[in-house]
Amino acid sequence: MRAATTANPEQRKATRPRADALRNRERIVTAAREMFVEHGPEVPLDEIARRAGVGNATLYRNFPDRDALVREVVCSVMDRTARAAEQALAETGDAFDALEHFVHASADERISALCPMVSSTFDRHHPDLEAARERVEHLVEEVMDRAKGAGQLRPDVGVGDVMVAVAQLSRPPAGTGCGSIDRFVHRHLQLFLDGLRAPARSALPGVTATLEDLRRA
């Protein structure tokens, strides 16, 4: 699993922390992300502190409760996946390449394991979470529109189709751990991405999945 670093958008920064305090915060979020993926969102916070190499007081000073920590983990993951697509688009100018980077980065960040936390009991409409989610949605929508305009992406798919496929294809089968799918996830995601390329080889059944469809679901 690649080491994760915490991205803190300006709206989540009240003051500029000291370098050592920022490193501690990053270690906590990295450890929490790993343990949430491995054990679920109810993993004991003292275990997260132990893996991060900090004291319980340091954890609670940064995150006063579990909801605050879960929210920061989800936001930081979405921030990094968005940056991966933005970087690919800036470096190559190729919209489909940027879409590929987003899809594979999402799998590396274990978005399929973390997304169920957004549906848990904590505030799904918190401003930080809404801002991070909207950033990802707008970016993927922009990338897909550009790829369609360039004739790279089949016209009958929507952002919701991509989000559902990434979640499903990067999720381990029932009864198995995340590690069991690592050998296959990028292979299967690339097969999916190849199926998105224009011209389409077949007509898709049903209708395009939108972000509104996912929210209602």
Side-chain angles (χ1 to χ4, degrees):
M1 181 181 295
R2 297 187 307 178
T5 58
T6 306
N8 293 310
E10 290 302 320
Q11 66 268 24
R12 297 210 301 277
K13 291 181 180 177
T15 59
R16 183 71 178 176
R18 299 193 318 270
D20 58 341
L22 182 58
R23 283 193 295 270
N24 283 340
R25 185 180 179 90
E26 290 174 343
R27 284 198 289 265
I28 292 168
V29 174
T30 297
R33 170 185 166 271
E34 293 171 354
M35 298 194 77
F36 288 158
V37 168
E38 294 168 12
H39 306 292
E42 299 306 317
V43 62
L45 296 185
D46 59 343
E47 292 296 325
I48 293 174
R50 186 174 296 112
R51 179 174 292 196
V54 301
N56 287 0
T58 299
L59 187 150
Y60 283 106
R61 187 162 55 247
N62 282 275
F63 305 103
D65 54 38
R66 183 180 302 273
D67 284 358
L69 179 56
V70 170
R71 183 168 57 250
E72 180 64 17
V73 169
V74 174
C75 286
S76 67
V77 164
M78 288 193 286
D79 290 340
R80 285 193 299 275
T81 54
R83 268 207 318 278
E86 287 174 334
Q87 182 178 356
L89 195 55
E91 289 175 352
T92 70
D94 186 295
F96 200 94
D97 186 55
L99 180 62
E100 288 188 322
H101 274 71
F102 169 78
V103 167
H104 287 294
S106 297
D108 284 339
E109 293 290 348
R110 307 294 198 189
I111 273 186
S112 63
L114 295 174
C115 278
M117 298 183 192
V118 180
S119 300
S120 67
T121 57
F122 79 92
D123 182 9
R124 291 177 293 165
H125 302 294
H126 189 281
D128 291 350
L129 189 59
E130 292 278 10
R133 184 166 49 209
E134 287 175 8
R135 180 188 177 202
V136 170
E137 292 174 354
H138 291 160
L139 174 65
V140 177
E141 192 168 31
E142 177 189 351
V143 166
M144 291 179 69
D145 286 344
R146 290 177 65 170
K148 287 177 182 178
Q152 297 174 300
L153 179 66
R154 56 188 299 163
D156 55 350
V157 294
V159 178
D161 294 313
V162 171
M163 297 298 195
V164 169
V166 171
Q168 294 297 325
L169 292 175
S170 58
R171 180 176 298 160
T176 63
C178 284
S180 67
I181 199 172
D182 283 350
R183 295 165 49 205
F184 310 110
V185 61
H186 291 290
R187 176 183 177 88
H188 296 163
L189 286 170
Q190 193 59 49
L191 285 170
F192 162 69
L193 286 162
D194 287 347
L196 294 182
R197 287 190 178 273
R201 298 294 184 89
S202 62
L204 293 175
V207 296
T208 300
T210 68
L211 293 171
E212 288 303 318
D213 292 332
L214 298 186
R215 291 191 185 100
R216 284 196 297 270

